[in-house]
Amino acid sequence: MKRTFIVTLIILGCIATSVAQTFNEQQAIQEISKAAATIKTLQCDFTQTKSLKMLGDKMVSKGKMYCAQPNQLRWEYTTPYTYTFILNNNNVLLKKGATSEVVDLNQNNMFKEIARIMMNSVLGTCLTDTKDFKVGVAVNGQQYKATLIPLKKEMKQMFTKIVLTYDTKTTLVKQVDLFECNGDNTTIELQNIKKNNPINATVFNIK
């Protein structure tokens, strides 16, 4: 369950960014933060492929993401299974099939920390927050790649690094690669990203 939360917040931070056209590491990071500050809402489809080292197998799942400033998020898997994570102000809803649970962030320090990182990502400070990650940005042809090395114990126990790939033409992230300590890795491809389009408030309902 915890792994799902971490993946969710990472993806949120990745989508809510764009990159400068002329490469310079510090300039690119500054431009990312500046551009992210203009984002009010985001929504997209995603395809997630998890590669299992021990089994030599891959698991593919798909879903949708919705986000609205300052603190609303819906991350929903739709196939081959259904699972929904909703953050709305100080509450989180976890729903799998007919089973659901609501968590009060004020009563749970773990979720409160996750929510903090989520909001930093939405606000565009994920690449400048030196408390959470060591960040490096490089250019690779028509792509920019940002490598995030976890600094906090909880994250370091799960991931060795996270790589974000940006399309220089659209200035939006198009792929996220999560490298786990056990040798597994997850690739999340983002499609049909819509920025600042209206989102029905019911999407974030905590039921």
Side-chain angles (χ1 to χ4, degrees):
M1 189 71 71
K2 182 178 179 181
R3 188 179 302 273
T4 301
F5 302 151
I6 297 296
V7 170
T8 300
L9 67 91
I10 294 299
I11 302 309
L12 176 63
C14 299
I15 296 173
T17 57
S18 60
V19 179
Q21 294 297 319
T22 301
F23 179 75
N24 173 283
E25 184 174 46
Q26 290 305 313
Q27 180 182 343
I29 292 174
Q30 292 174 3
E31 289 294 327
I32 288 171
S33 300
K34 182 178 179 180
T38 68
I39 296 174
K40 303 302 180 185
T41 68
L42 282 171
Q43 50 190 302
C44 72
D45 302 319
F46 67 84
T47 299
Q48 177 177 303
T49 303
K50 185 174 181 65
S51 300
L52 305 174
K53 180 181 179 181
M54 294 294 293
L55 300 178
D57 197 10
K58 294 184 178 182
M59 298 188 302
V60 179
S61 54
K62 297 184 178 183
K64 295 179 177 294
M65 188 281 296
Y66 304 87
C67 174
Q69 290 273 31
N71 49 10
Q72 293 179 307
L73 167 69
R74 182 186 183 103
W75 186 266
E76 181 178 9
Y77 292 92
T78 57
T79 183
Y81 56 88
T82 59
Y83 181 88
T84 304
F85 170 96
I86 299 176
L87 167 66
N88 194 335
N89 296 312
N90 292 318
N91 292 298
V92 166
L93 172 69
L94 310 172
K95 186 174 182 180
K96 184 176 182 180
T99 304
S100 63
E101 176 186 4
V102 176
V103 179
D104 183 349
L105 293 183
N106 292 321
Q107 303 298 321
N108 190 305
N109 290 331
M110 181 187 75
F111 275 89
K112 182 177 290 186
E113 177 68 6
I114 290 172
R116 181 189 68 79
I117 298 176
M118 285 181 176
M119 292 307 104
N120 284 350
S121 298
V122 173
L123 295 173
T125 61
C126 59
L127 299 188
T128 58
D129 187 350
T130 56
K131 295 180 180 179
D132 297 317
F133 301 104
K134 176 181 178 181
V135 179
V137 180
V139 63
N140 181 11
Q142 298 301 310
Q143 300 175 340
Y144 289 113
K145 288 185 177 291
T147 301
L148 283 66
I149 306 297
L151 297 178
K152 290 195 172 183
K153 180 180 178 181
E154 294 77 9
M155 293 285 284
K156 290 171 69 174
Q157 291 176 339
M158 295 178 64
F159 301 109
T160 58
K161 65 179 178 179
I162 298 159
V163 179
L164 319 179
T165 302
Y166 299 88
D167 186 330
T168 57
K169 293 181 179 180
T170 62
T171 65
L172 289 172
V173 69
K174 65 177 184 179
Q175 182 171 306
V176 180
D177 291 284
L178 305 162
F179 296 86
E180 299 179 37
C181 296
N182 63 4
D184 294 350
N185 63 75
T186 301
T187 296
I188 302 173
E189 299 172 90
L190 310 175
Q191 305 103 13
N192 306 318
I193 300 175
K194 299 177 182 178
K195 173 183 173 181
N196 293 339
N197 283 20
I199 298 177
N200 193 314
T202 60
V203 167
F204 306 110
N205 281 353
I206 300 289
K207 298 180 180 179

